[in-house]
Coordinates of all heavy atoms in Angstrom, one line a residue:
M118 N -64.4 -5.5 17.7 CA -64.2 -6.3 16.5 C -64.0 -5.3 15.3 O -63.3 -5.6 14.3 CB -65.3 -7.2 16.3 CG -65.4 -8.3 17.3 SD -64.0 -9.4 17.2 CE -64.1 -10.0 15.5
W121 N -60.5 -4.1 15.2 CA -59.6 -5.2 14.9 C -59.6 -5.5 13.3 O -58.5 -5.6 12.8 CB -60.1 -6.5 15.6 CG -59.4 -7.8 15.1 CD1 -59.9 -8.7 14.4 CD2 -58.1 -8.2 15.5 NE1 -59.0 -9.7 14.2 CE2 -57.9 -9.5 14.9 CE3 -57.1 -7.6 16.3 CZ2 -56.7 -10.2 15.0 CZ3 -55.9 -8.3 16.4 CH2 -55.7 -9.6 15.8
R122 N -60.7 -5.4 12.8 CA -60.8 -5.6 11.3 C -60.3 -4.5 10.5 O -60.0 -4.6 9.3 CB -62.2 -6.0 10.9 CG -62.6 -7.5 11.4 CD -64.0 -7.8 11.1 NE -64.3 -9.2 11.5 CZ -65.4 -9.6 12.1 NH1 -66.3 -8.7 12.5 NH2 -65.5 -10.9 12.5
D176 N -54.3 -11.3 8.0 CA -55.6 -10.8 7.7 C -56.6 -11.2 8.7 O -56.6 -12.2 9.4 CB -56.0 -11.4 6.3 CG -55.1 -11.0 5.2 OD1 -54.6 -9.8 5.2 OD2 -54.9 -11.8 4.2
A177 N -57.6 -10.4 8.8 CA -58.7 -10.6 9.8 C -59.7 -11.7 9.2 O -60.1 -11.6 8.1 CB -59.5 -9.4 10.1
L178 N -59.9 -12.7 10.0 CA -60.9 -13.8 9.5 C -62.3 -13.3 9.8 O -62.6 -12.6 10.7 CB -60.5 -15.1 10.2 CG -59.2 -15.6 10.0 CD1 -59.0 -16.9 10.8 CD2 -58.9 -15.8 8.6
D179 N -63.3 -13.8 9.0 CA -64.6 -13.6 9.3 C -65.1 -14.5 10.3 O -64.4 -15.4 10.7 CB -65.5 -13.6 8.0 CG -65.4 -14.9 7.3 OD1 -65.1 -16.0 8.0 OD2 -65.6 -15.0 6.1
D180 N -66.4 -14.3 10.8 CA -66.9 -15.1 11.9 C -66.9 -16.7 11.5 O -66.6 -17.5 12.4 CB -68.3 -14.7 12.2 CG -68.3 -13.3 12.8 OD1 -67.3 -12.9 13.3 OD2 -69.4 -12.7 12.8
E181 N -67.2 -17.0 10.3 CA -67.3 -18.4 9.9 C -65.9 -19.0 9.9 O -65.7 -20.1 10.3 CB -67.9 -18.4 8.4 CG -68.1 -19.9 8.0 CD -68.9 -19.9 6.6 OE1 -70.0 -19.3 6.6 OE2 -68.3 -20.4 5.7
A182 N -64.9 -18.2 9.4 CA -63.6 -18.8 9.4 C -63.0 -18.9 10.8 O -62.3 -19.9 11.1 CB -62.6 -17.9 8.5
M183 N -63.3 -18.0 11.7 CA -62.8 -18.1 13.0 C -63.4 -19.3 13.7 O -62.8 -19.9 14.6 CB -63.2 -16.8 13.8 CG -62.3 -15.6 13.5 SD -62.6 -14.3 14.7 CE -64.2 -13.7 14.3
A184 N -64.6 -19.7 13.3 CA -65.2 -20.9 13.9 C -64.7 -22.2 13.3 O -65.0 -23.3 13.8 CB -66.7 -20.9 13.7
G185 N -63.9 -22.1 12.3 CA -63.2 -23.2 11.7 C -63.8 -23.9 10.5 O -63.4 -25.0 10.1
A186 N -64.8 -23.2 9.9 CA -65.5 -23.7 8.7 C -64.5 -24.2 7.6 O -64.7 -25.2 7.0 CB -66.6 -22.8 8.3
P187 N -63.5 -23.3 7.3 CA -62.7 -23.7 6.1 C -61.5 -24.6 6.4 O -60.7 -24.8 5.5 CB -62.3 -22.3 5.6 CG -62.1 -21.5 6.8 CD -63.2 -22.0 7.7
Y198 N -53.2 -21.3 11.3 CA -53.4 -19.9 11.1 C -54.7 -19.4 11.8 O -54.7 -18.3 12.5 CB -53.6 -19.6 9.6 CG -53.7 -18.1 9.2 CD1 -52.5 -17.4 8.9 CD2 -54.9 -17.5 9.2 CE1 -52.6 -16.1 8.5 CE2 -55.0 -16.1 8.9 CZ -53.8 -15.4 8.5 OH -53.9 -14.1 8.2
R199 N -55.6 -20.3 11.9 CA -56.9 -19.9 12.6 C -56.7 -19.8 14.1 O -57.1 -18.9 14.7 CB -58.0 -20.9 12.3 CG -59.3 -20.7 13.0 CD -60.4 -21.6 12.5 NE -60.2 -23.0 12.8 CZ -60.5 -23.6 13.9 NH1 -61.1 -22.9 14.9 NH2 -60.3 -24.8 14.2
H202 N -54.6 -16.7 14.7 CA -55.5 -15.5 14.6 C -56.4 -15.3 15.8 O -56.5 -14.2 16.4 CB -56.4 -15.6 13.3 CG -57.4 -14.5 13.2 ND1 -58.7 -14.6 13.9 CD2 -57.4 -13.4 12.5 CE1 -59.4 -13.5 13.5 NE2 -58.6 -12.7 12.8
N203 N -57.0 -16.4 16.3 CA -58.0 -16.3 17.4 C -57.2 -15.9 18.7 O -57.8 -15.2 19.5 CB -58.7 -17.6 17.5 CG -59.7 -17.8 16.4 OD1 -59.9 -16.9 15.6 ND2 -60.3 -19.0 16.3
L206 N -56.5 -12.3 18.5 CA -57.7 -11.6 18.8 C -58.0 -11.5 20.3 O -58.6 -10.5 20.8 CB -58.9 -12.1 18.0 CG -60.3 -11.5 18.2 CD1 -60.2 -10.0 17.8 CD2 -61.3 -12.2 17.3

Side-chain angles (χ1 to χ4, degrees):
M118 291 299 299
W121 171 255
R122 290 176 173 136
D176 294 326
L178 300 180
D179 57 28
D180 293 340
E181 187 175 301
M183 284 192 291
Y198 188 89
R199 178 168 66 87
H202 172 278
N203 290 352
L206 179 56

